[in-house]
Amino acid sequence: MRSSRHPPSPPSSSSVKEATKALGLRLREIRKNAGLTSRALAGRAGWHESKCSRFESGSRRPSETDLRVWALHCGVPQLAEELVTTARGIEGMYVEWRRMEQTGLKRAQESVLPLWERTRRFRIYSSWLIPGPVQTAPYIEALLNAIRDRRGLVDDVEEAVRVRVDKQRILHEGDHRFALVLEESVLRHRIGGPEVMTGQLRHLLAAASLPSVSLGIIPMTADRTSLWPVEGFFLFDEAEVNVELVSAHLSVKHSHEIDMYVQMFSDLSELAVRGPAARELISAAIESLR
């Protein structure tokens, strides 16, 4: 039975800001444990006093050199690498779309191949679109054409579609397992027109019968008082979470945040219907396209 406790919302684009603030609090703790004021530390480091304040408040992200200097002058040089590792994790969380796609959509698709291949358990929640592993080529093409036009990218859609379709081979090989949870509204969002959408929904029905795939659909009639739809996310084992935002690709690797997504996926899963009930929802969506 689901807990009545309102589960924590998973992090979104605010994760980077919150992680930077957390690093700032850690720096403040280290400084205070050393018995130093911000002015004293700044004097030792040769900085303006405001630099320490900005680091501690999270309004400015320190460089790796800054962190090593901080640890040294606080008398804990052994903590330098821990701080640097934390900062590198924050830097890697948030990748703007224009950076990822600057050489085209094909490269962006290829960039995640190693992660897909080493992952054994995929947990995917979608409130917007049919997830990539079970998309048809026409559905993918419609999506990527729209992304290309909206972002003014080079036209390599045909190559990008082939890469994404080829990634789907892991549905049929090895010991990969896919647990998918979709909002029912995903079935009703018309991508590529009625013909493309009909083919996509029929493909989803077929994919749901694969031994490697578990499909749950949250009906629009579900009681969402305590748990409402959130941004879609991919959970790769318990090592990483990817979230696609309007402006960026968010990669979450901190264990406590990953745990939040694991819990969120579990809670959302309990709202979903499966088997015949899920197939009925898909069939109804297909019928509405006629």
Side-chain angles (χ1 to χ4, degrees):
M1 178 178 296
R2 230 171 53 82
S3 168
S4 60
R5 174 184 63 86
H6 177 39
S9 296
S12 60
S13 56
S14 64
S15 287
V16 178
K17 182 180 292 187
E18 293 304 314
T20 302
K21 286 183 179 179
L23 175 59
L25 291 174
R26 176 68 171 136
L27 293 176
R28 179 179 298 167
E29 177 185 48
I30 290 171
R31 174 182 60 76
K32 288 187 173 182
N33 286 343
L36 296 173
T37 63
S38 294
R39 178 174 295 179
L41 176 56
R44 291 186 181 188
W47 298 336
H48 190 281
E49 183 179 351
S50 64
K51 186 172 182 178
C52 290
S53 298
R54 289 196 296 270
F55 288 161
E56 291 185 0
S57 68
S59 62
R60 177 176 174 180
R61 198 178 307 166
S63 68
E64 293 184 12
T65 298
D66 292 331
L67 292 170
R68 290 191 171 95
V69 169
W70 193 287
L72 175 65
H73 290 299
C74 286
V76 284
Q78 70 275 14
L79 296 182
E81 290 311 308
E82 171 197 321
L83 296 172
V84 168
T85 298
T86 298
R88 287 175 179 171
I90 296 171
E91 183 65 27
M93 287 172 68
Y94 197 64
V95 180
E96 292 183 18
W97 285 121
R98 64 176 178 270
R99 289 171 54 196
M100 178 177 290
E101 298 171 345
Q102 61 186 348
T103 57
L105 290 163
K106 176 175 179 286
R107 179 69 189 90
Q109 297 299 316
E110 291 174 333
S111 67
V112 298
L113 277 172
L115 176 59
W116 279 53
E117 289 173 348
R118 68 174 177 264
T119 298
R120 290 296 171 265
R121 185 184 183 191
F122 295 76
R123 280 164 287 183
I124 304 170
Y125 165 75
S126 181
S127 54
W128 301 335
L129 302 169
I130 302 294
V134 291
Q135 290 173 351
T136 63
Y139 187 92
I140 296 169
E141 183 178 4
L143 290 174
L144 296 187
N145 277 334
I147 291 171
R148 176 203 61 201
D149 295 343
R150 187 165 59 246
R151 297 178 184 153
L153 306 175
V154 298
D155 187 3
D156 63 347
V157 168
E158 185 177 345
E159 295 89 342
V161 170
R162 283 200 296 267
V163 172
R164 183 173 283 194
V165 170
D166 183 62
K167 283 193 303 184
Q168 296 175 354
R169 70 184 186 278
I170 66 173
L171 285 167
H172 309 279
E173 61 186 35
D175 57 350
H176 304 281
R177 293 292 179 267
F178 293 80
L180 313 178
V181 174
L182 315 181
E183 297 287 345
E184 184 185 353
S185 57
V186 169
L187 310 177
R188 303 285 179 156
H189 293 160
R190 297 192 176 190
I191 305 297
E195 184 177 349
V196 169
M197 199 64 205
T198 297
Q200 174 60 76
L201 293 174
R202 287 175 176 163
H203 179 70
L204 182 62
L205 280 172
S209 68
L210 293 173
S212 60
V213 176
S214 168
L215 174 65
I217 299 175
I218 302 176
M220 288 189 286
T221 54
D223 185 346
R224 309 307 292 269
T225 304
S226 63
L227 185 61
W228 47 85
V230 297
E231 292 171 324
F233 58 88
F234 278 55
L235 178 57
F236 299 91
D237 291 324
E238 294 193 9
E240 181 173 340
V241 180
N242 285 350
V243 186
E244 293 184 0
L245 308 172
V246 171
S247 61
H249 173 91
L250 181 66
S251 179
V252 177
K253 298 182 180 180
H254 290 285
S255 60
H256 72 281
E257 290 190 293
I258 291 173
D259 289 344
M260 292 170 69
Y261 277 101
V262 169
Q263 183 62 53
M264 179 59 72
F265 187 84
S266 176
D267 290 335
L268 288 164
S269 294
E270 291 189 21
L271 292 175
V273 298
R274 291 175 169 74
R279 291 194 292 273
E280 284 181 14
L281 292 176
I282 299 172
S283 297
I286 293 172
E287 186 63 29
S288 73
L289 293 166
R290 293 179 180 174

